[in-house]
Amino acid sequence: KFAEELEAQGVPLLDHVAGMPLDHSEDRVEVAKAIFDALPVGIGHLYLHPAQDTPELRALCSDWRCRVADYQAFLSPVLRDHIRNQGIQVIGYRALKDLMPVRSENLA
């Protein structure tokens, strides 16, 4: 019910949430492509944990290989082209914030 109220007020809500799994580091571009291909139309959020390979990362995260592979995959022109060819528009949270209605009591 709360989500319905927010939508009625014009607040954009996420329609779908997906994430890059951290259980294997192979073929991250292909994994990302499959996730993007499976996302239905709407406002989706894909969470991932990209990181550069550092001694600190290796010491802190047992899944560091996945994080480094995600960093490399999301810099890949192959993945960027695939996303574009699927008609997916990548946006940040600022774009969603800009869509939110302005309330006069919030202005000060």
Side-chain angles (χ1 to χ4, degrees):
K1 179 153 173 104
F2 182 61
E4 291 172 1
E5 291 174 18
L6 290 173
E7 283 186 322
Q9 294 174 29
V11 175
L13 301 176
L14 296 176
D15 298 310
H16 315 285
V17 176
M20 291 290 289
L22 292 172
D23 58 351
H24 67 282
S25 60
E26 299 81 27
D27 300 322
R28 300 304 276 182
V29 169
E30 293 305 316
V31 171
K33 284 177 166 181
I35 290 171
F36 280 115
D37 291 349
L39 279 175
V41 172
I43 300 174
H45 175 83
L46 175 65
Y47 62 88
L48 58 143
H49 303 89
Q52 292 183 339
D53 190 0
T54 65
E56 292 85 3
L57 179 69
R58 289 179 182 222
L60 290 172
C61 301
S62 60
D63 56 11
W64 66 268
R65 286 178 183 87
C66 292
R67 294 168 187 262
V68 171
D70 282 354
Y71 179 80
Q72 294 166 344
F74 279 81
L75 290 176
S76 164
V78 171
L79 182 55
R80 185 178 15 241
D81 290 345
H82 181 80
I83 292 167
R84 187 179 306 114
N85 292 337
Q86 292 299 317
I88 296 170
Q89 178 64 46
V90 178
I91 62 170
Y93 279 103
R94 184 170 293 128
L96 293 177
K97 179 182 164 267
D98 291 345
L99 291 173
M100 295 184 72
V102 176
R103 300 180 118 189
S104 59
E105 63 265 19
N106 290 340
L107 299 176

